[in-house]
Amino acid sequence: MADWLFTDEALQQATAAPVARHRAARLAGAVVHDATCSIGTELAALRSTAEFVLGSDLDEVRLAMARHNVPDVPLCRADALRPVSRDAVVVLDPARRSGGRRRFDPRAYTPPLDELLEVYRQRSVVVKCAPGIDFDAVRQLGFVGEIEVTSAGGSVREACLWPAALTEHGVRRRACVLDRGEVLTDVEPDDCGSGPAGRWIVDPDGAIVRAGLVRHYAARHGLWQLDPDIAYLSGDRLPPGVRGFEVLEELPLREKVLRQALSRRDCGALEILVRGVDVDPDALRRRLRPTGGTPLSLVITRIGAGAGERTVVYLCQSGIATARVG
């Protein structure tokens, strides 16, 4: 993209290249119309996989940049709310920013998501959304297909709405972890138990958590939950390629006890992960004042509910499992 034309705002809204390639792979062999093509990042990926691809946008400046960026793709100026194609899968990426601010209500997208879903109700339409979009709100707008959450580079990048015609039967939620090529859906088994920490604690990728597939991921890899309502998992082996936290000690959330344990183990750099407990990791790190040379981690979580609820701190060292051979 060294010779591409773009504006700062257009670049902020553009799909990351790995995510665009992933979507294009799912659309391989299809006739595709990107009806909000902007500067052409989706088109650049689609032209390698689609049988035919067309781009359109209402913004004349972005359309001119797209003509420069993807000169081999036919383009036209059109309003996404006024369809100009037939018999094509329509890809839509409504703007979710205005004046640098994010819009969280899907009806405040440009164009609004509810209007897009209504206009293309009889079409196969793929819609890129913010990763934090309210799944229930989308269903209430009449969407009945698959919601896919994708991560790349260690962060959740987007949620994408897929029509039922373009997904496997029964799939309503999917998580794609592009960094390690892992795909998980809600039709897979989710029979995992809960119990005390084993050798390792695993904090699942954000796409898996956001898609609500933590139990499915645990069942796939032989893990269990520390608590049925918390996303931390545990096991005696790490899934291949996954970073985990090897448990050294289980401690109470008392700063004097934590400070003594960290000093005993010569803790220096300290990573603090928190779920289900009101703890500010940065503030706690400053108060604990680790000054040693060994990098360690604290995993702080809630276990149990009601009268039996307690806060547990696991003092850990991190590690990554290598892929098994054979």
Coordinates of all heavy atoms in Angstrom, one line a residue, residues 242-307:
V242 N -0.6 -21.1 22.2 CA -1.3 -20.2 23.0 C -0.5 -19.8 24.2 O 0.2 -20.6 24.8 CB -2.7 -20.9 23.5 CG1 -3.3 -20.0 24.6 CG2 -3.6 -21.0 22.3
R243 N -0.5 -18.5 24.6 CA 0.2 -18.1 25.8 C -0.7 -18.3 27.0 O -1.9 -18.1 27.0 CB 0.4 -16.5 25.6 CG 1.1 -15.9 26.9 CD 1.4 -14.5 26.6 NE 2.1 -13.9 27.8 CZ 1.6 -12.9 28.5 NH1 0.4 -12.4 28.3 NH2 2.3 -12.4 29.5
G244 N 0.0 -18.9 28.0 CA -0.7 -19.2 29.2 C 0.0 -18.7 30.4 O 1.2 -18.2 30.3
F245 N -0.5 -18.9 31.6 CA 0.1 -18.5 32.9 C 0.2 -19.7 33.8 O -0.8 -20.2 34.3 CB -0.8 -17.4 33.5 CG -1.0 -16.2 32.6 CD1 -2.0 -16.1 31.7 CD2 -0.1 -15.1 32.6 CE1 -2.2 -15.1 30.9 CE2 -0.3 -14.0 31.8 CZ -1.3 -14.0 30.9
E246 N 1.5 -20.0 34.0 CA 1.8 -21.2 34.9 C 1.6 -20.8 36.3 O 2.3 -19.9 36.8 CB 3.2 -21.7 34.6 CG 3.5 -23.0 35.3 CD 4.8 -23.7 34.8 OE1 5.6 -22.9 34.2 OE2 5.0 -24.9 35.0
V247 N 0.8 -21.5 37.1 CA 0.5 -21.1 38.4 C 1.6 -21.5 39.4 O 2.0 -22.6 39.5 CB -0.8 -21.8 38.9 CG1 -1.1 -21.4 40.4 CG2 -2.0 -21.4 38.0
L248 N 2.1 -20.5 40.1 CA 3.2 -20.7 41.1 C 2.6 -20.8 42.5 O 3.0 -21.5 43.3 CB 4.2 -19.6 41.0 CG 4.9 -19.4 39.7 CD1 5.8 -18.2 39.7 CD2 5.7 -20.7 39.3
E249 N 1.6 -19.9 42.8 CA 1.0 -19.8 44.1 C -0.4 -19.3 44.0 O -0.7 -18.5 43.0 CB 1.8 -18.8 45.0 CG 3.1 -19.2 45.4 CD 3.7 -18.2 46.4 OE1 3.1 -18.0 47.5 OE2 4.8 -17.6 46.1
E250 N -1.3 -19.7 44.9 CA -2.6 -19.1 45.0 C -2.6 -18.2 46.3 O -2.3 -18.7 47.4 CB -3.7 -20.2 45.1 CG -5.1 -19.6 45.2 CD -6.1 -20.7 45.2 OE1 -6.0 -21.8 44.6 OE2 -7.1 -20.6 46.0
L251 N -3.0 -17.0 46.2 CA -2.9 -16.0 47.3 C -4.2 -15.3 47.5 O -5.0 -15.2 46.5 CB -1.8 -15.0 47.0 CG -0.4 -15.6 46.7 CD1 0.5 -14.5 46.1 CD2 0.2 -16.1 48.0
P252 N -4.4 -14.7 48.6 CA -5.6 -13.8 48.9 C -5.3 -12.4 48.3 O -4.1 -12.1 48.1 CB -5.7 -13.8 50.4 CG -4.3 -14.0 50.9 CD -3.6 -14.9 49.9
L253 N -6.3 -11.6 48.1 CA -6.1 -10.3 47.6 C -5.8 -9.4 48.8 O -6.7 -8.6 49.2 CB -7.3 -9.8 46.8 CG -7.2 -8.4 46.2 CD1 -6.0 -8.3 45.3 CD2 -8.5 -8.0 45.5
R254 N -4.6 -9.5 49.4 CA -4.1 -8.6 50.4 C -2.8 -8.1 50.0 O -1.8 -8.9 49.8 CB -4.1 -9.4 51.8 CG -5.5 -9.8 52.3 CD -5.5 -10.0 53.8 NE -4.6 -11.1 54.2 CZ -5.0 -12.4 54.3 NH1 -6.2 -12.7 54.0 NH2 -4.1 -13.3 54.7
E255 N -2.7 -6.8 49.9 CA -1.5 -6.2 49.4 C -0.2 -6.6 50.1 O 0.9 -6.8 49.5 CB -1.6 -4.7 49.2 CG -2.7 -4.3 48.2 CD -2.8 -2.8 48.0 OE1 -1.9 -2.1 48.4 OE2 -3.8 -2.4 47.4
K256 N -0.2 -6.7 51.4 CA 1.0 -7.1 52.2 C 1.4 -8.5 51.8 O 2.6 -8.7 51.5 CB 0.7 -7.0 53.7 CG 1.9 -7.4 54.5 CD 1.6 -7.2 56.0 CE 2.9 -7.6 56.8 NZ 2.6 -7.5 58.3
V257 N 0.4 -9.4 51.7 CA 0.8 -10.8 51.3 C 1.3 -10.8 49.9 O 2.3 -11.5 49.6 CB -0.5 -11.7 51.4 CG1 -0.2 -13.1 50.9 CG2 -0.9 -11.7 52.8
L258 N 0.7 -10.1 49.0 CA 1.2 -10.0 47.6 C 2.6 -9.4 47.5 O 3.5 -10.0 46.8 CB 0.2 -9.2 46.7 CG -1.2 -9.8 46.6 CD1 -2.0 -8.8 45.7 CD2 -1.2 -11.2 45.9
R259 N 2.8 -8.4 48.2 CA 4.1 -7.7 48.2 C 5.2 -8.7 48.7 O 6.3 -8.8 48.1 CB 4.1 -6.5 49.0 CG 5.3 -5.5 48.7 CD 5.1 -4.2 49.5 NE 3.9 -3.4 49.0 CZ 2.8 -3.2 49.7 NH1 2.7 -3.7 51.0 NH2 1.9 -2.5 49.2
Q260 N 4.9 -9.4 49.7 CA 5.9 -10.4 50.2 C 6.2 -11.5 49.2 O 7.3 -11.9 49.0 CB 5.4 -11.0 51.6 CG 5.4 -10.0 52.7 CD 4.7 -10.5 53.9 OE1 4.0 -11.5 53.9 NE2 5.0 -9.9 55.1
A261 N 5.1 -12.0 48.6 CA 5.3 -13.1 47.6 C 6.1 -12.6 46.4 O 7.0 -13.3 45.9 CB 3.9 -13.6 47.2
L262 N 5.8 -11.4 46.0 CA 6.6 -10.9 44.8 C 8.0 -10.6 45.2 O 8.9 -10.9 44.3 CB 5.9 -9.5 44.3 CG 4.5 -9.6 43.8 CD1 4.0 -8.3 43.5 CD2 4.5 -10.5 42.5
S263 N 8.3 -10.2 46.4 CA 9.7 -9.9 46.8 C 10.4 -11.3 46.9 O 11.6 -11.4 46.5 CB 9.7 -9.2 48.1 OG 11.0 -9.1 48.6
R264 N 9.8 -12.3 47.4 CA 10.4 -13.6 47.6 C 10.8 -14.2 46.2 O 11.8 -14.9 46.2 CB 9.3 -14.5 48.3 CG 9.9 -15.6 49.1 CD 8.9 -16.3 50.0 NE 7.6 -16.6 49.3 CZ 6.4 -16.0 49.7 NH1 6.4 -15.2 50.7 NH2 5.3 -16.4 49.1
R265 N 10.1 -13.9 45.2 CA 10.4 -14.4 43.9 C 11.1 -13.4 43.0 O 11.2 -13.5 41.8 CB 9.1 -14.9 43.2 CG 8.5 -16.1 43.9 CD 7.2 -16.6 43.2 NE 6.6 -17.7 43.9 CZ 7.0 -19.0 43.7 NH1 7.9 -19.3 42.8 NH2 6.4 -20.0 44.4
D266 N 11.6 -12.3 43.6 CA 12.4 -11.3 42.9 C 11.6 -10.7 41.7 O 12.2 -10.5 40.6 CB 13.7 -11.9 42.4 CG 14.7 -10.9 41.9 OD1 14.8 -9.8 42.5 OD2 15.4 -11.2 40.9
C267 N 10.4 -10.4 41.9 CA 9.5 -9.9 40.8 C 10.0 -8.5 40.3 O 10.2 -7.6 41.1 CB 8.1 -9.9 41.2 SG 7.0 -9.2 39.9
G268 N 10.1 -8.3 39.0 CA 10.3 -7.0 38.4 C 9.2 -6.6 37.6 O 8.2 -6.0 38.2
A269 N 9.2 -6.8 36.3 CA 8.0 -6.4 35.4 C 6.8 -7.3 35.9 O 6.9 -8.5 36.0 CB 8.4 -6.7 34.0
L270 N 5.7 -6.6 36.1 CA 4.5 -7.3 36.7 C 3.3 -7.0 35.8 O 2.9 -5.9 35.6 CB 4.2 -6.8 38.1 CG 3.0 -7.4 38.8 CD1 3.2 -8.9 38.9 CD2 2.8 -6.8 40.1
E271 N 2.8 -8.1 35.2 CA 1.5 -8.0 34.5 C 0.4 -8.4 35.4 O 0.5 -9.4 36.1 CB 1.6 -9.0 33.3 CG 0.4 -9.0 32.4 CD 0.5 -10.0 31.2 OE1 1.4 -10.9 31.3 OE2 -0.3 -10.0 30.3
I272 N -0.7 -7.7 35.3 CA -1.9 -7.9 36.2 C -3.1 -8.1 35.3 O -3.4 -7.2 34.5 CB -2.1 -6.8 37.2 CG1 -0.9 -6.7 38.1 CG2 -3.3 -7.1 38.1 CD1 -1.0 -5.6 39.1
L273 N -3.8 -9.2 35.4 CA -5.0 -9.5 34.6 C -6.1 -9.6 35.6 O -6.0 -10.3 36.7 CB -4.9 -10.8 33.8 CG -3.9 -10.8 32.6 CD1 -2.5 -11.0 33.1 CD2 -4.4 -11.9 31.6
V274 N -7.3 -9.0 35.3 CA -8.4 -9.0 36.2 C -9.7 -9.3 35.5 O -10.0 -8.8 34.4 CB -8.5 -7.6 36.9 CG1 -9.7 -7.6 37.8 CG2 -7.3 -7.2 37.6
R275 N -10.5 -10.2 36.1 CA -11.9 -10.5 35.6 C -12.8 -10.7 36.8 O -12.5 -11.4 37.7 CB -11.9 -11.7 34.7 CG -11.4 -11.6 33.3 CD -11.8 -12.8 32.5 NE -11.1 -12.8 31.2 CZ -11.5 -12.1 30.1 NH1 -12.6 -11.4 30.2 NH2 -10.9 -12.1 29.0
G276 N -13.9 -10.0 36.8 CA -15.0 -10.2 37.8 C -14.7 -9.5 39.1 O -15.4 -9.7 40.1
V277 N -13.6 -8.7 39.2 CA -13.3 -8.0 40.4 C -13.0 -6.6 40.1 O -12.4 -6.3 39.1 CB -12.0 -8.7 41.1 CG1 -11.7 -8.0 42.4 CG2 -12.3 -10.2 41.3
D278 N -13.4 -5.7 41.0 CA -13.2 -4.3 40.8 C -11.8 -3.9 41.3 O -11.6 -3.4 42.4 CB -14.2 -3.5 41.6 CG -14.1 -2.0 41.3 OD1 -13.4 -1.6 40.3 OD2 -14.7 -1.2 42.0
V279 N -10.8 -4.1 40.5 CA -9.4 -3.8 40.8 C -8.8 -3.1 39.6 O -8.9 -3.5 38.5 CB -8.6 -5.1 41.1 CG1 -7.1 -4.8 41.2 CG2 -9.1 -5.8 42.3
D280 N -8.1 -1.9 39.9 CA -7.4 -1.2 38.8 C -6.0 -1.8 38.8 O -5.2 -1.6 39.7 CB -7.4 0.3 39.2 CG -6.7 1.1 38.2 OD1 -5.8 0.6 37.4 OD2 -7.0 2.3 38.1
P281 N -5.6 -2.5 37.7 CA -4.3 -3.1 37.6 C -3.2 -2.1 37.7 O -2.2 -2.4 38.4 CB -4.3 -3.8 36.2 CG -5.8 -4.0 35.9 CD -6.5 -2.8 36.5
D282 N -3.3 -1.0 37.1 CA -2.2 0.0 37.1 C -2.0 0.6 38.5 O -0.8 0.7 39.0 CB -2.5 1.2 36.1 CG -2.4 0.7 34.7 OD1 -1.7 -0.2 34.4 OD2 -3.2 1.3 33.8
A283 N -3.1 0.9 39.2 CA -3.0 1.4 40.5 C -2.4 0.4 41.5 O -1.5 0.6 42.3 CB -4.3 1.9 41.0
L284 N -2.8 -0.9 41.3 CA -2.3 -2.0 42.2 C -0.8 -2.2 41.9 O 0.0 -2.4 42.9 CB -3.1 -3.3 41.9 CG -2.6 -4.5 42.7 CD1 -2.7 -4.2 44.2 CD2 -3.4 -5.7 42.3
R285 N -0.4 -2.2 40.7 CA 1.0 -2.3 40.4 C 1.9 -1.3 41.0 O 2.9 -1.5 41.6 CB 1.2 -2.3 38.9 CG 2.6 -2.7 38.4 CD 2.8 -2.6 36.9 NE 1.9 -3.5 36.2 CZ 0.8 -3.1 35.6 NH1 0.4 -1.8 35.5 NH2 0.0 -4.0 35.0
R286 N 1.4 0.0 41.0 CA 2.1 1.1 41.6 C 2.3 0.8 43.1 O 3.3 1.1 43.7 CB 1.5 2.4 41.3 CG 1.7 2.9 39.9 CD 1.2 4.3 39.8 NE -0.2 4.5 40.0 CZ -1.1 4.5 39.1 NH1 -0.8 4.2 37.8 NH2 -2.4 4.7 39.4
R287 N 1.2 0.4 43.7 CA 1.3 0.1 45.2 C 2.1 -1.0 45.6 O 2.8 -1.0 46.6 CB -0.2 -0.1 45.8 CG -1.0 1.2 45.7 CD -2.3 1.1 46.6 NE -3.1 -0.1 46.2 CZ -4.1 0.0 45.3 NH1 -4.3 1.1 44.6 NH2 -4.8 -1.1 45.0
L288 N 2.2 -2.1 44.7 CA 3.0 -3.2 45.1 C 4.5 -3.0 44.9 O 5.3 -3.6 45.5 CB 2.6 -4.4 44.2 CG 1.2 -4.9 44.5 CD1 0.8 -6.1 43.5 CD2 1.1 -5.5 45.9
R289 N 4.9 -2.0 44.0 CA 6.2 -1.6 43.8 C 7.3 -2.7 43.6 O 8.3 -2.8 44.3 CB 6.7 -0.7 45.0 CG 5.9 0.5 45.3 CD 6.5 1.4 46.3 NE 6.7 0.7 47.6 CZ 5.8 0.6 48.5 NH1 4.6 1.1 48.4 NH2 6.0 -0.1 49.7
P290 N 7.1 -3.6 42.6 CA 8.0 -4.6 42.3 C 9.3 -4.0 41.8 O 9.3 -3.2 40.9 CB 7.4 -5.5 41.3 CG 6.4 -4.6 40.6 CD 5.9 -3.6 41.6
T291 N 10.5 -4.5 42.3 CA 11.8 -3.9 41.9 C 12.8 -5.0 41.5 O 14.0 -4.6 41.3 CB 12.3 -3.1 43.1 OG1 12.5 -3.9 44.2 CG2 11.4 -1.9 43.4
G292 N 12.4 -6.2 41.4 CA 13.4 -7.3 41.1 C 13.7 -7.4 39.6 O 13.5 -6.5 38.8
G293 N 14.1 -8.6 39.2 CA 14.5 -8.8 37.9 C 13.7 -9.9 37.1 O 14.0 -10.2 36.0
T294 N 12.7 -10.5 37.8 CA 12.0 -11.6 37.2 C 10.6 -11.2 36.8 O 9.8 -10.7 37.6 CB 11.9 -12.8 38.2 OG1 13.2 -13.2 38.6 CG2 11.2 -14.0 37.5
P295 N 10.2 -11.3 35.5 CA 8.9 -11.0 35.1 C 7.9 -12.0 35.6 O 8.0 -13.2 35.4 CB 9.0 -10.9 33.5 CG 10.1 -11.9 33.2 CD 11.1 -11.7 34.4
L296 N 6.8 -11.5 36.2 CA 5.8 -12.4 36.7 C 4.4 -11.8 36.4 O 4.3 -10.6 35.9 CB 5.9 -12.6 38.2 CG 7.2 -13.3 38.7 CD1 7.3 -13.3 40.2 CD2 7.1 -14.8 38.2
S297 N 3.3 -12.6 36.7 CA 2.0 -12.1 36.4 C 1.1 -12.4 37.6 O 1.3 -13.4 38.3 CB 1.4 -12.8 35.1 OG 2.2 -12.6 34.0
L298 N 0.1 -11.6 37.8 CA -1.0 -11.8 38.7 C -2.3 -12.0 38.0 O -2.6 -11.1 37.2 CB -1.1 -10.7 39.8 CG 0.1 -10.4 40.7 CD1 -0.2 -9.3 41.6 CD2 0.4 -11.7 41.6
V299 N -3.0 -13.1 38.2 CA -4.3 -13.3 37.6 C -5.3 -13.2 38.8 O -5.3 -14.0 39.7 CB -4.4 -14.6 36.9 CG1 -5.8 -14.8 36.3 CG2 -3.4 -14.7 35.8
I300 N -6.1 -12.1 38.7 CA -7.1 -11.9 39.8 C -8.5 -12.1 39.3 O -8.9 -11.6 38.3 CB -6.9 -10.4 40.3 CG1 -5.5 -10.1 40.7 CG2 -7.8 -10.1 41.5 CD1 -5.2 -8.7 41.1
T301 N -9.2 -12.9 40.1 CA -10.6 -13.2 39.6 C -11.5 -13.6 40.8 O -11.0 -13.8 41.9 CB -10.5 -14.4 38.6 OG1 -11.8 -14.6 38.0 CG2 -10.1 -15.7 39.4
R302 N -12.8 -13.6 40.5 CA -13.8 -13.9 41.4 C -14.1 -15.4 41.3 O -14.2 -15.9 40.1 CB -15.1 -13.1 41.2 CG -16.1 -13.3 42.3 CD -17.5 -12.9 41.8 NE -18.0 -13.8 40.8 CZ -18.5 -13.5 39.6 NH1 -18.5 -12.3 39.2 NH2 -19.0 -14.5 38.8
I303 N -14.3 -16.1 42.4 CA -14.7 -17.5 42.4 C -15.9 -17.6 43.2 O -16.0 -17.2 44.3 CB -13.6 -18.4 42.9 CG1 -12.3 -18.3 42.2 CG2 -14.0 -19.9 42.9 CD1 -12.3 -18.8 40.8
G304 N -17.0 -18.3 42.6 CA -18.2 -18.5 43.4 C -19.1 -17.3 43.3 O -18.8 -16.2 42.7
A305 N -20.3 -17.4 44.0 CA -21.2 -16.3 44.0 C -22.0 -16.3 45.3 O -22.0 -17.3 46.1 CB -22.2 -16.5 42.8
G306 N -22.6 -15.2 45.6 CA -23.4 -15.1 46.9 C -22.5 -15.2 48.1 O -21.4 -14.7 48.1
A307 N -23.0 -16.0 49.1 CA -22.3 -16.1 50.3 C -20.9 -16.8 50.2 O -20.0 -16.6 51.0 CB -23.1 -16.8 51.4

